[in-house]
Amino acid sequence: MSFRAMAYAARVVVPKHRKEIKGLPLAVYYALCDTANDRTLVAFPSVFRIAEQCDCSPQKVSSATKHLESMGLIHIKHNKGKNNDYKINVP
C-alpha cells in the first residue's frame, strides 16, 4: 500500500476533482493507490483483481482507467501478455 498515494488522493485529488471523478473511477483510483509501491508509485494489479475489488466488470475497469489517464491522474504502461503498469501521478 502506498500511504503517499492514498494521502494525496484523499487530500488533493478527491477535493480538486470532485465533479469529474466519482463512482467507479474513484473506486478504481483508490484500488490502484492501495496496491501501488510506496517508493515508485507504480501498481500492477490485473484488471480482474481491480474488478473484483470494485465489484464490477473488467471492461468497466478498463474504461475507468482510461478516464483516469485522460485526467492526468495515472499513466498506463501497456505490457503485452502481462498486467499493465499504472503509475500514480503525484507531484
Side-chain angles (χ1 to χ4, degrees), residues 1-18 21-37 41-43 45 49-51 53-54 61 64-65 68 73-74 86 88:
M1 169 193 284
S2 173
F3 291 108
R4 184 172 152 212
M6 292 294 273
Y8 180 75
R11 281 189 269 157
V12 178
V13 172
V14 174
K16 183 177 179 183
H17 298 283
R18 186 165 296 171
I21 182 172
K22 52 186 161 184
L24 185 60
L26 181 59
V28 169
Y29 186 67
Y30 274 126
L32 292 173
C33 288
D34 186 45
T35 58
N37 177 289
L41 298 178
V42 174
R49 179 175 176 204
I50 299 169
Q53 285 180 307
C54 298
V61 169
T65 56
L68 294 169
L73 298 175
I74 64 170
Y86 302 95
I88 309 298

Side-chain angles (χ1 to χ4, degrees), residues 24 27-28 31 45-59 61:
L24 185 60
V28 169
S46 70
V47 173
F48 297 101
R49 179 175 176 204
I50 299 169
E52 187 176 272
Q53 285 180 307
C54 298
D55 195 29
C56 67
S57 70
Q59 293 81 8
V61 169

